[in-house]
Structure formats: structure tokens, C-alpha cells
Amino acid sequence: MVMEINGASGGKFPVSRKEEILRAAEKLFSRKGYEAASMRDLADELRLKPPSLYSHYPSKEDILWEIAIRCAQEFHARMLPLAADESRNPDARLAAMVHMHIELIIENVDAAAIFFKEWRRLEEPKRSQYAEMIQIYEGAFTQVLRQGIETGLFRPVTPTFTTLMLLNTANWIHRWYYPGGSMSLADISEECTAFILAGLRP
């Protein structure tokens, strides 16, 4: 089955049933938590009979894995090139990375909960595979921090610890952000980035 949703230009484009399931699951897992949400809950959200849902995804973990891997791939694709851009100083790269991280969270508020937390519900070997993707992502921040310390742009902090503090500060945004609030995406990104960089400068 293919449904249609409105595009940014006002037109319509098709969305497959599997895509519809993933979007509903993101919202359900974010709202109830992965453990508390059941396949029946998801079927009810979609107004489907459970057998129809299972014909697309044999298990709840299969849905979690697809959401998680797609989210991680998007974070990697948009973030890692910023970290590798040697034409910019480490402080400029870190600022761009923080901005992008916050944008990704806000653009994917429901999926962000899975990227940050619910992936730990995956069973092996998927959990270890996903943990490696998280380490690569965090490692990009750590490397830029090290380069900033080496060039004297940042004070001599502990890079790994600072990465975790930096990301945990930004990651809380998905818990309270909602569209139409008093702060825009640009406001949130600018203030968070300024706060983080101010703490790193000598």
C-alpha cells in the first residue's frame, strides 16, 4: 500500500506502508519508550491488524534497528564531513558541528530518542554494531577538540570527557523542544554553541 503526504512545495508524493510504519513507530517509541510499546500498540496507532504489521516487520526489534540505523547514517553523513574539513580551524569546525547536531535533533525529534538511548535495547550483534557507529560519531568531536587544544584555541580539557558533556548538553533539547516555541532553531543553536565554545576558550 502507498499513501500520499504533502510535500514542502505543497504537492504530494507517495510514502510506502513501511515508511508509514517507521514514522509511527518513532513517535510511539519516543512517547512510551521501546520496552513499554508493543506491536499491538503500533498496529492500533496505524489502524492495522497485527498480521498486516508483521508482514512488513517480523519483530519490534526489526523496526527499532531500521529506525536506528537510518538515523545514525544521517547523523554520520551530515556531521563527519564537517569534522574532516581541514580548511577550517578547529573552533569553526566545532561550532559548525554543534549547530548541525542540534539541527539534526530538532529535525528528527522522535528518532533522536532512539539514537541517544533506545538503541541499547537492540540485541547482539546489532547492539555492538550500533555502538561502533556511536563511537565513530563521538570520536569526530573528540578529534576536533584535540586539534583545538594542540593549536591553543581550546584550553587543555580532557577531550573524551568534554565530548560526552558537550553532546549530553545538546541532546537534552529533544526532551523539551517543540515547534512554535519561544526560541527558534537558530536561537537554540546559537545560544548552545556560544555557551559550549565559551567554556573551551583559554
Side-chain angles (χ1 to χ4, degrees):
M1 176 178 179
V2 173
M3 62 177 291
E4 289 187 339
I5 65 173
N6 290 327
S9 64
K12 292 186 175 182
F13 52 89
V15 174
S16 69
R17 174 62 85 184
K18 291 187 76 170
E19 188 69 26
E20 186 185 8
I21 290 169
L22 292 175
R23 294 183 184 186
E26 286 177 2
K27 294 182 182 298
L28 180 65
F29 295 166
S30 177
R31 186 175 74 247
K32 293 189 67 172
Y34 174 75
E35 288 291 337
S38 68
M39 290 288 272
R40 180 169 289 279
D41 291 333
L42 182 55
D44 289 344
E45 292 268 334
L46 292 159
R47 297 181 181 178
L48 291 175
K49 292 182 178 180
S52 179
L53 182 58
Y54 282 106
S55 71
H56 293 287
Y57 290 98
S59 72
K60 187 171 69 166
E61 188 189 25
D62 289 326
I63 297 174
L64 176 65
W65 173 248
E66 185 156 347
I67 294 170
I69 202 69
R70 284 167 46 150
C71 187
Q73 287 170 346
E74 182 176 5
F75 272 62
H76 277 214
R78 293 175 63 180
M79 183 64 66
L80 297 186
L82 296 176
D85 184 5
E86 296 287 348
S87 69
R88 306 169 80 180
N89 288 333
D91 56 346
R93 270 184 281 155
L94 186 65
M97 291 165 71
V98 173
H99 274 289
M100 182 60 70
H101 184 76
I102 292 170
E103 287 180 10
L104 286 166
I105 292 171
I106 292 175
E107 289 173 9
N108 303 275
V109 169
D110 293 319
I114 294 168
F115 184 69
F116 301 140
K117 178 181 177 182
E118 298 293 356
W119 67 269
R120 293 179 175 84
R121 307 296 185 183
L122 292 166
E123 296 182 2
E124 294 293 356
K126 290 178 180 175
R127 185 167 65 245
S128 292
Q129 292 171 9
Y130 203 78
E132 289 180 9
M133 297 188 76
I134 296 289
Q135 289 172 359
I136 290 169
Y137 188 78
E138 292 175 351
F141 282 86
T142 301
Q143 181 61 25
V144 172
L145 282 167
R146 285 201 180 102
Q147 292 172 352
I149 294 167
E150 290 168 359
T151 56
L153 291 168
F154 301 147
R155 60 190 180 84
V157 297
T158 303
T160 302
F161 174 77
T162 302
T163 293
L164 295 177
M165 291 290 290
L166 181 160
L167 292 176
N168 283 333
T169 297
N171 291 351
W172 271 98
I173 291 169
H174 88 277
R175 299 291 298 272
W176 54 262
Y177 173 79
Y178 67 95
S182 60
M183 295 181 70
S184 68
L185 167 58
D187 293 335
I188 294 169
S189 182
E190 187 65 33
E191 289 201 22
C192 189
T193 303
F195 174 78
I196 289 168
L197 290 178
L200 290 171
R201 292 194 174 99

